[in-house]
Amino acid sequence: MVVLVGLTSDRGAGERSDLARIKKWWRGLGGDGFVALPPPTRSRYTQSDGHEDAAELFAARGITGRASFAYWHWQSHAAFDRTGALRGRLYLHWGGDHATVAAGLGAGPEGYRLVNNGPQGAFELDRVTATDPDGLPDPQDEAGVRQFLDRIGADRHGHPASPLTGPEERWLHDRLAGPVEPVAATDPVTATGPFAATNRFATALELRQALTPEEASRLLAAGQEAYAGRLSAWHGWWPVLNALLRQGREEAWELAAALGPAPADTLAEHPSPRALAALRALVLAGHDGAVPAWFRTYRTLHEPDPYAAARALCAELPDRETARAALLGAVRTAVTEEWRTAHPDADREVARSAGALTAVRLTTDDRLPRPLRVAAAQAAYDQVAHVRERAARSTGPEAAEALAAADRYEAVRDELLAGTGPDLTTYEGALGDLWHRYRTLSAADIGWLRDRVADPATGVQGIAFCLELLYAHGAAGEAEVRALLPRWKKELAKQYRTTYTEWRHPLVTLTCLAQDLGHPAADELLAWWAKPKPLWKAPLRLLTHLGAPDEAKAAELWEFVVSGAHDTGHLMTWVLLRARLDGTHPLLVAERLIGEPGVRPYVLHRVLIGVADPAQPLWHYAVDPRSHSWWRRAQEVADNPRLSAGARAIGLRTAREHYVLRHPDQVRPPLTEGELTEARAWLEARTAGAAGTD
């Protein structure tokens, strides 16, 4: 079966718009088991949302078994502008069997091309365009121009730019001839019309160092006019600044100063004493992202040895863990690049192993100051097992030295890492990748988490991460309430999406804690949750019932669970709440709900895995197939002798669908070969056992 997720409405778009044509084709895909979901809204923002919508449709229509489906979500829909015109490739995501989906989609609508990127990618839909004998588009054909720029390489962070043909270069210069429209030159994302790609024209030329002084001057003037007093908002600065630096022009430094930290890497590509001073000033002003560029420039101008350069810069580095981690990352990159130069024929796996060994070695390298060795110990935490494994498969002095480096690392790791933790400002996925490290908390972990909660510099994400761990492990107390009460109205009472994390909104967790403690602030917090506004908090209010639970709270929460409303942790909360009231393990509570009317199976299955360890429940709204935590919990449910065969089967099915077995290269942190072998053996044994009982 192929399930096709429909498009959003193109109200106001003409019948001949791209959106109208594609919708007509999309709605015609049917029969032989094809089903269309309702049009996506902003709530279908990611691929996970698309899969959840498909699961809801399957449940509502009684579709059982493994179904295949295709869809696009709100982010993909941004390929259309307000008139319904297609401004970029439309990515069609899918689930189930790839061949079934490909057959269901067919060749695409007339006038468009559908690209199949294989089982690991999304399908792409774009317009069919024409070119002249030189491969050049009509300048008035926006889709053709966009596709031409994609083909030659017009993005700074894309693949290395290939040489241009004579006609291609002349065509680009012709596009920049004469006055430049300010908006078109600076904001290609929102600008429309024939000049919308001006910035990409300039980038395509400057990637080949072909932007002329006259063109750079016109583009600079256009940017200064359009973004007077706020040049840091100018998206089209790179080709201009790079050209000005390359041409040795004074305007480059005025522009760089106005742009803030954004041009750090560009300055490092043009090393000079002036660039070094500018980069140092950025770092001292708190811009840790400029640290690698500062390091590279310092090495180029003063000290090529990466260890000596690191010692010099570390002495000036601000006292921030994130700054030290950035400098350590720059040192690792430099050492790894030296290794690659000495081993040009090394394959990817060997190079990855060398990178892991570098992180392990740096932890005990006395050429680095202690702050950087602490950062190295953190970076190498999940690398040492890979180092040992590869060394065990090899022979000779290099293998022996690698094992010795791993021994030295493990001898000092705990001492170096005592009282430290992850960067709480990083993207939430990176924090989720190490959640499994905190399944048990050491005294040092508890101390670090409490210090972070008490630190006024810790942001909302950091508070949410740390407070959740402390609360789940029973290590949060009145000190945390006292630390956060002065901040809750101005900082914590803000919308903060936690749909894709293992932790809840920090104000939910704080409210639960205050209730458990019988703290006087609990009444004030609950009164705030009871108010109708702001609207974003409405779905979260019932999650606070986990604090100081009682039968009335359980009843209200259960009424919501069986209402069919969107679940954002409600069933998980009810299971944990019921377990507290009954004095039983939440797994046994969840198990009793299998087959219960009004309880959606796909939500219950996720909850069953998530509550396997009540000291660290997993709050992600779906099973995260990349996560170590979800993999371990699925195994534990499958192997739990206290559970029914049906509950254990849910655990086994979840394990089978985890990336540990299907796409192990996507699991983070990466698995060792030994871990993979163990996982496959575990599954084979359970599969054989299940077959033996049939």
Side-chain angles (χ1 to χ4, degrees):
M1 178 181 294
V2 177
V3 179
L4 297 160
V5 180
L7 286 168
T8 189
S9 172
D10 60 333
R11 183 182 301 173
E15 287 299 316
R16 297 181 59 81
S17 72
D18 293 309
L19 181 55
R21 295 190 192 101
I22 292 171
K23 283 181 66 175
K24 183 178 180 180
W25 161 74
W26 190 268
R27 288 170 175 166
L29 297 172
D32 193 24
F34 286 4
V35 180
L37 266 75
T41 64
R42 293 181 187 273
S43 65
R44 187 187 299 152
Y45 194 72
T46 67
Q47 294 182 52
S48 294
D49 294 332
H51 284 249
E52 182 182 9
D53 283 354
E56 287 185 351
L57 179 69
F58 299 159
R61 299 191 180 182
I63 300 173
T64 59
R66 185 172 175 81
S68 300
F69 56 96
Y71 66 95
W72 70 74
H73 49 54
W74 197 258
Q75 293 182 82
S76 297
H77 193 72
F80 297 101
D81 67 12
R82 293 181 180 179
T83 70
L86 190 62
R87 299 297 183 187
R89 288 168 288 184
L90 178 65
Y91 289 95
L92 304 176
H93 302 285
W94 59 277
D97 178 68
H98 180 263
T100 303
V101 174
L105 292 175
E110 183 179 357
Y112 299 82
R113 62 186 183 191
L114 185 67
V115 178
N116 182 344
N117 288 311
Q120 300 301 316
F123 293 83
E124 297 176 16
L125 189 67
D126 205 349
R127 290 172 59 182
V128 173
T129 59
T131 59
D132 67 13
D134 291 318
L136 301 172
D138 182 336
Q140 302 300 315
D141 181 357
E142 293 181 43
V145 169
R146 169 174 51 78
Q147 292 170 9
F148 164 69
L149 292 170
D150 288 343
R151 176 173 62 80
I152 65 172
D155 296 303
R156 178 185 169 201
H157 300 295
H159 296 294
S162 58
L164 298 172
T165 65
E168 288 171 344
E169 184 167 342
R170 286 193 296 274
W171 189 94
L172 289 168
H173 283 301
D174 287 345
R175 305 284 73 75
L176 296 178
V180 178
E181 290 190 358
V183 173
T186 57
D187 198 351
V189 175
T190 58
T192 59
F195 293 102
T198 302
N199 176 55
R200 296 190 74 199
F201 299 150
T203 301
L205 287 168
E206 187 53 26
L207 285 171
R208 286 91 176 172
Q209 299 189 359
L211 201 65
T212 68
E214 293 75 19
E215 288 166 343
S217 293
R218 286 198 298 273
L219 290 166
L220 176 62
Q224 290 172 328
E225 177 184 348
Y227 290 94
R230 55 188 187 97
L231 272 173
S232 60
W234 181 21
H235 297 294
W237 61 265
W238 180 80
V240 179
L241 178 61
N242 202 73
L244 294 174
L245 289 167
R246 178 171 55 82
Q247 295 159 8
R249 297 169 59 178
E250 182 64 27
E251 302 101 301
W253 302 104
E254 298 173 8
L255 176 58
L259 290 172
D265 287 335
T266 304
L267 292 176
E269 291 164 5
H270 301 271
S272 68
R274 200 166 181 179
L276 183 65
L279 290 166
R280 178 180 181 274
L282 286 172
V283 172
L284 296 182
H287 301 295
D288 296 334
V291 169
W294 183 34
F295 177 76
R296 294 197 304 274
T297 305
Y298 185 87
R299 287 187 67 203
T300 300
L301 298 178
H302 296 295
E303 179 53 75
D305 177 66
Y307 300 95
R311 288 196 301 273
L313 297 193
C314 190
E316 296 188 71
L317 207 63
D319 185 21
R320 293 191 302 273
E321 291 182 13
T322 51
R324 291 190 287 270
L327 182 54
L328 185 277
V331 176
R332 287 180 63 187
T333 298
V335 174
T336 302
E337 286 176 349
E338 289 181 355
W339 183 91
R340 288 181 181 274
T341 300
H343 302 80
D345 299 326
D347 62 27
R348 183 177 180 181
E349 182 181 352
V350 172
R352 187 186 300 116
S353 298
L357 181 56
T358 294
V360 170
R361 282 173 170 162
L362 290 177
T363 302
T364 57
D365 196 319
D366 290 336
R367 289 175 293 178
L368 292 180
R370 180 183 172 86
L372 295 189
R373 285 186 281 117
V374 171
Q378 190 73 262
Y381 192 96
D382 293 307
Q383 303 288 331
V384 67
H386 294 269
V387 169
R388 286 193 178 281
E389 185 173 76
R390 180 162 184 82
R393 296 199 303 263
S394 306
T395 58
E398 290 187 359
E401 199 285 323
L403 288 173
D407 288 341
R408 293 193 300 270
Y409 170 84
E410 291 179 341
V412 302
R413 180 186 62 191
D414 291 346
E415 185 271 327
L416 286 173
L417 293 182
T420 70
D423 173 12
L424 296 173
T425 65
T426 190
Y427 78 102
E428 59 193 24
L431 290 175
D433 288 346
L434 50 80
W435 195 252
H436 63 284
R437 295 188 196 174
Y438 292 96
R439 189 162 180 180
T440 59
L441 299 182
S442 67
D445 289 333
I446 293 174
W448 182 83
L449 292 166
R450 286 175 171 166
D451 287 346
R452 299 289 74 72
V453 171
D455 187 348
T458 303
V460 172
Q461 176 175 279
I463 293 171
F465 178 91
C466 297
L467 189 61
E468 183 69 54
L469 287 172
L470 290 169
Y471 182 78
H473 287 286
E478 291 204 16
E480 283 65 53
V481 178
R482 287 196 303 272
L484 295 177
L485 281 180
R487 304 178 61 181
W488 81 267
K489 290 184 178 179
K490 290 186 177 180
E491 298 176 60
L492 301 188
K494 307 291 183 184
Q495 186 170 12
Y496 167 63
R497 287 179 61 88
T498 57
T499 305
Y500 309 102
T501 67
E502 305 300 0
W503 50 89
R504 296 167 295 174
H505 192 290
L507 200 53
V508 170
T509 314
L510 177 62
T511 304
C512 290
L513 175 60
Q515 292 179 90
D516 284 346
L517 296 173
H519 195 283
D523 290 339
E524 184 181 5
L525 289 164
L526 291 171
W528 180 84
W529 283 106
K531 294 177 181 178
K533 291 185 178 181
L535 297 177
W536 64 263
K537 69 181 179 180
L540 303 183
R541 182 185 68 83
L542 292 177
L543 305 189
T544 66
H545 282 9
L546 187 56
D550 57 36
E551 292 295 342
K553 291 179 179 180
E556 183 183 7
L557 193 52
W558 180 254
E559 183 179 357
F560 181 91
V561 166
V562 297
S563 71
H566 184 61
D567 187 291
T568 56
H570 299 88
L571 182 59
M572 170 81 79
T573 303
W574 185 87
V575 168
L576 293 170
L577 182 158
R578 190 74 258 167
R580 290 184 66 181
L581 289 177
D582 297 345
T584 188
H585 197 290
L587 269 179
L588 303 180
V589 176
E591 178 189 41
R592 293 197 295 268
L593 297 178
I594 297 175
E596 178 76 20
V599 177
R600 286 165 287 193
Y602 73 94
V603 177
L604 176 60
H605 296 178
R606 181 259 302 172
V607 170
L608 183 72
I609 308 301
V611 300
D613 182 357
Q616 195 196 40
L618 305 177
W619 287 96
H620 197 293
Y621 90 121
V623 173
D624 183 353
R626 299 168 52 258
S627 160
H628 285 239
S629 293
W630 285 95
W631 163 250
R632 295 301 182 196
R633 306 302 203 288
Q635 285 184 299
E636 290 163 17
V637 170
D639 286 344
N640 193 320
R642 300 173 63 192
L643 298 179
S644 66
R648 294 198 304 272
I650 293 170
L652 183 58
R653 183 166 61 249
T654 303
R656 284 197 187 105
E657 295 174 352
H658 195 281
Y659 284 2
V660 163
L661 301 168
R662 298 170 59 210
H663 306 293
D665 58 312
Q666 296 186 35
V667 177
R668 293 291 179 270
L671 299 162
T672 65
E673 287 299 321
E675 289 171 326
L676 284 175
T677 299
E678 179 183 333
R680 291 170 181 140
W682 178 87
L683 181 62
E684 289 175 5
R686 301 308 177 281
T687 303
T693 61
D694 291 340

